[in-house]
Amino acid sequence: MIEQQQTALLFTEVALHAVAREEIMERKAWRLLEPQRISWERFRGRLGSAALASLVVEDGAVTHPAAFDAPALMGAPSPLANLADVQVDTLLAGLTEASVSGTGADYLLYRTGLLRHQVGRNQAACFDCISSRRA
């Protein structure tokens, strides 16, 4: 997988988790955590789960533009366009009430641990280096 695809997949994972947390906190109607995603299944027609992710991210950018503006954040006009449905299916399968609930601090520590694991040791060491310089 090329670096741009990895970045897009990581961004999508984080964005979907953020939206699912909004759903848990009852700030948004349930779409991602809805049982069997019934509303999406009725609406989607020939659209796949990658289209769902793109729509959810685009919708998130309306209320939280700095966090969900994928083109601005990743420097590409359509950074999520190359995601495959099977990749997004895997991300969606990991979204459960339990995986996105908890206090804000607990959730951030958990997500930071996952991010470090996904980014890799060398880049995680770079993040530590940057953080220690700021301290």
Side-chain angles (χ1 to χ4, degrees), residues 88-104:
V88 178
D89 287 338
T90 302
L91 298 178
L92 292 172
L95 285 179
T96 63
E97 287 184 61
S99 73
V100 296
S101 60
T103 66

Side-chain angles (χ1 to χ4, degrees), residues 1-2 16 32 44 57 82-83 88 90 99 119 123 130 132:
M1 188 181 315
I2 60 173
L16 292 177
L32 297 176
R44 74 182 189 99
V57 168
N82 292 327
L83 290 179
V88 178
T90 302
S99 73
V119 170
Q123 290 179 343
I130 292 169
S132 67

